[in-house]
Amino acid sequence: MRGVRSTAEGIQVVSTAKAPTGGVRVSVAGSGICGSDLHLASFGPSSVTLGHEFCGRLDDGTPVAVLPIVTCGHCERCLAGHDQQCASALGAMYGVSLDGGLADEVWVDPGCAKVLPPGVALDNACLVEPIAVALHGINRAGVEAGMRVLVIGAGPIGLCTIAAARSVGASVDLVANRRRRIEAGERLGANTSVGTEYDVVLEAAGTQGSMDKAIQLVRPGGTISILGNFWDPVAVGLGFQIKEVTLLPSYTYGHHHGVSEFEDAVRVLGAVPDLGDTIVTHRFPLDDAAEAFRVAGNRSTDAIKVVVHP
Ligand SMILES: [Zn+2]
Ligand SMILES: [Zn+2]
């Protein structure tokens, strides 16, 4: 079996043959490369196979998207529906602390294999994971039908956020600065004529500039929902304080009104047929994973989402 790991020589496809670790086997159909995979790879060699955005088939042929976080299911946070806050979650994530989906196959907890209904193409079902991130961000901010919201950033998370906000009936404006990504946002229903005084700004870039923009464009007393990962700290100043902005950090996904946001993401993927082919710009076979990472991490390639298909 092949798996993609960060090694002293960079990203490599290595032989990972070993006894099954329990659970169910998923023969991987597609695995997305996330911005956080690029960061993880930059931290040096890893002892686990990368990839937390993946889908495939069970041994009986059932198509599934894999929820990459194994939670305990019985702590106070899990029982409250905030599984993303479970103490077990960080230490039990496929592709981060457990072998992930950039591989031919992976063994997962049976509860993590979420069956795809007919009509959801397996080719793009690795997007269920970033869509779930987007749904959690809009749910945290209480985005609902008729609301006018602003999305900042049109990487995969920003684009999934546009689709998620549109799927609940919100009107979405977009601030982004790369032509291909702006066009992708427009295809998903975002307006690029930007106003001011937004009730909700969904920040999906994770930079100082995007934070400054969010504070500038949110209305006094409004809400900024943080979906982008701040790998470097950002500062907020007096403008933030004077506006009395509510800041809502958002991390992965859990339950909203009792509904699993990961499972709800399957619904969004099925409801927006263009979503996959709008976001996925590059596809590579598993043996070319090093090149896939290079393309994903190099601005000049203009890649949005790079997917590896074993
Ligand atoms: Zn990710
Ligand atoms: Zn728990």
Side-chain angles (χ1 to χ4, degrees), residues 70-79 82-83 85-89:
V70 189
T71 53
C72 80
H74 53 70
C75 72
E76 179 257 334
R77 303 317 300 157
C78 282
L79 293 177
H82 304 307
D83 358 348
Q85 297 168 3
C86 174
S88 310

Side-chain angles (χ1 to χ4, degrees), residues 270-289:
V272 188
D274 281 354
L275 186 57
D277 291 333
T278 301
I279 295 181
V280 179
T281 53
H282 295 71
R283 298 179 191 273
F284 290 92
L286 188 63
D287 279 333
D288 293 344

Side-chain angles (χ1 to χ4, degrees), residues 8 12 30 57 64 69 73 112 118 123 136 160 167 180 207 216 237 240 247 273 282 305:
Q12 287 194 329
R57 288 188 187 276
V64 295
I69 302 170
C112 292
D123 261 4
H136 185 55
C160 288
S167 82
R180 182 178 205 170
T207 65
Q216 179 198 334
F240 173 75
L247 196 58
H282 295 71
K305 174 62 77 183

